[in-house]
Amino acid sequence: MSTVKYFVLLGSLTALVTACQPPPVEEDEVSSQSTRYLYVASGLCYSGTGNTTYTGATASNVIFKVNLNTGTYEGRVADFTKATEATGTTPVSIANYDSTHMMVLLEHSGQRRIELIEKKLDGARQTFYNNTSTTAPIGALQSAAKFIMTVADGFLISRTTAIEKLDSGKGRQIGTGTNAWVQGPGGACSTSTVNITSLLTYPTATNASGYNIVYTHSQNASSATNNRIGVINGATGWNGSSGCLDDQSTVGATAYPTASAYMSAFKRIVVSYAGTNVALQNSLHTYAIDDTATSNIISDPVNGYENPSAIYGASAMTYDEEEGYLYVATGGAVTTNFTTGNVPYNIEKFSFNPTDKTFTRVGSTTFYPGNMETRCISSMFVGN
């Protein structure tokens, strides 16, 4: 073979191989595909009765994100302290909406609203829902809003005394009459409408919606009856006479449930308790969830972690289903007044042992130590 023919053939083969290769992936694209974040809202939060925490006016009132791989601060997604915001506008809850947006529940009397915000630093914002009607039926955001989450057929919003449901078209769903989807639930749920502190859902094939609602409730006072966990039928809500499927008393009359999360791999929920420095008040308990049952759903309470030097006044939790870690926002110090004590909240990271149902703190130090932007952490989620 001549030298010329050799180089022509070699060039042709090289071109063929190159053509069969996938296009190169830019470094930034690889980073965006592999990096996952903990999104954190610091606003009006609840850290258990007996603890004086920040108000909507004194909280940090920002949303920021933390790199899950490194634990480092990435920057602010939104800042509600700017002059363009009404003073005291506070992000009380955030939830993953889609690959590019989060849903944010903003609390401010007269200006309560839900926004969609890009997950970028200083992300673009748009109003998603804003109900300022003062006439019947009572609007979904007419009393203090606490928590928001997406479900297969819409959205759930906990108010101080009720749980609202909006369908996918933002239409308000009612339980009975003009009442909220869950308002004054009776039966085992025992009219728990003083301070609904968190919501979660778990999948079930027992009703048409495909899920049931679990809520935690604090009576804001010593109460073995109404400091509790309740399970509501996801397809019916509370219709005035039925819909409460099960309940579970909290671990002590002065153990106030503040946050919750569902660990689907283990079919267990985690509930954080908070209060003053008394046994069981500052702990993480797990409960088994029977997703095939229509009653007696919650069982097997286990004290998974109790160490007030690490977990004190927990205010928010989220579980990373992909990596299997629980993230807990906590006051991080034994004190009965976080505000006066000038305490920024920490974020702790835990692994779960399904054999003995206990949590182990990951690392010898706090995953994300408190700073000026963590007063006080109201909500978190893991996302891209």
Side-chain angles (χ1 to χ4, degrees):
M1 179 183 295
S2 70
T3 303
V4 173
K5 290 182 177 179
Y6 174 79
F7 281 112
V8 169
L9 177 59
L10 181 59
S12 299
L13 289 174
T14 301
L16 179 61
V17 171
T18 302
C20 294
Q21 295 296 319
V25 179
E26 298 293 336
E27 184 176 347
D28 289 346
E29 185 178 346
V30 172
S31 175
S32 65
Q33 289 175 347
S34 59
T35 305
R36 300 170 68 244
Y37 301 98
L38 178 66
Y39 292 90
V40 183
S42 293
L44 180 64
C45 74
Y46 175 67
S47 291
T49 298
N51 295 316
T52 303
T53 55
Y54 295 88
T55 66
T58 61
S60 298
N61 295 327
V62 296
I63 300 171
F64 62 92
K65 61 182 183 178
V66 177
N67 188 308
L68 279 183
N69 295 327
T70 62
T72 56
Y73 175 81
E74 293 281 338
R76 290 182 182 179
V77 175
D79 182 352
F80 302 97
T81 68
K82 293 180 177 180
T84 52
E85 300 288 342
T87 302
T89 299
T90 183
V92 292
S93 185
I94 56 177
N96 199 35
Y97 182 71
D98 59 25
S99 61
T100 57
H101 294 87
M102 67 174 68
M103 182 174 281
V104 181
L105 181 61
L106 293 168
E107 172 62 22
H108 188 286
S109 182
Q111 298 185 37
R112 297 183 178 104
R113 63 191 184 275
I114 302 168
E115 289 190 0
L116 293 184
I117 302 181
E118 283 186 304
K119 296 175 186 175
K120 300 177 181 178
L121 301 187
D122 196 24
R125 295 165 51 182
Q126 58 180 298
T127 299
F128 178 81
Y129 184 87
N130 184 10
N131 186 350
T132 57
S133 171
T134 58
T135 59
I138 297 173
L141 300 178
Q142 282 302 300
S143 67
K146 306 281 284 187
F147 193 89
I148 189 168
M149 69 179 300
T150 59
V151 288
D153 52 355
F155 316 92
L156 297 175
I157 307 166
S158 70
R159 292 166 26 201
T160 305
T161 60
I163 301 171
E164 297 281 0
K165 180 178 179 180
L166 304 180
D167 63 25
S168 56
K170 307 178 196 177
R172 182 176 183 250
Q173 305 298 292
I174 57 175
T176 178
T178 60
N179 288 334
W181 188 245
V182 178
Q183 183 166 309
C189 291
S190 302
T191 318
S192 296
T193 58
V194 174
N195 184 18
I196 296 173
T197 57
S198 72
L199 300 178
L200 62 85
T201 62
Y202 67 90
T204 179
T206 60
N207 63 56
S209 70
Y211 64 88
N212 283 328
I213 303 166
V214 180
Y215 70 90
T216 59
H217 178 263
S218 170
Q219 187 69 18
N220 294 336
S222 177
S223 173
T225 302
N226 277 333
N227 292 322
R228 66 198 306 105
I229 307 164
V231 183
I232 298 290
N233 188 315
T236 66
W238 172 254
N239 64 12
S241 60
S242 65
C244 174
L245 303 179
D246 196 15
D247 78 299
Q248 178 80 38
S249 296
T250 57
V251 295
T254 57
Y256 305 100
T258 61
S260 60
Y262 179 58
M263 302 187 295
S264 62
F266 312 110
K267 294 187 178 181
R268 296 187 74 86
I269 62 171
V270 192
V271 176
S272 61
Y273 293 100
T276 54
N277 193 23
V278 177
L280 298 181
Q281 281 190 339
N282 293 283
S283 59
L284 304 176
H285 276 65
T286 70
Y287 302 81
I289 288 287
D290 186 346
D291 57 7
T292 65
T294 55
S295 61
N296 300 318
I297 293 168
I298 307 176
S299 63
D300 189 32
V302 176
N303 187 349
Y305 188 86
E306 185 177 5
N307 182 356
S309 65
I311 295 293
Y312 187 88
S315 60
M317 288 195 303
T318 189
Y319 182 70
D320 183 359
E321 292 281 358
E322 186 171 317
E323 298 293 335
Y325 292 115
L326 180 74
Y327 295 90
V328 183
T330 169
V334 177
T335 176
T336 57
N337 192 323
F338 294 119
T339 310
T340 301
N342 200 29
V343 178
Y345 284 50
N346 299 327
I347 300 173
E348 300 289 349
K349 180 179 180 179
F350 294 91
S351 60
F352 181 65
N353 183 333
T355 302
D356 60 13
K357 304 178 182 68
T358 60
F359 292 98
T360 299
R361 189 178 183 222
V362 176
S364 57
T365 59
T366 296
F367 171 73
Y368 188 78
N371 54 59
M372 291 294 290
E373 297 194 358
T374 65
R375 302 174 180 176
C376 51
I377 296 176
S378 54
S379 184
M380 302 186 294
F381 74 88
V382 171
N384 63 302

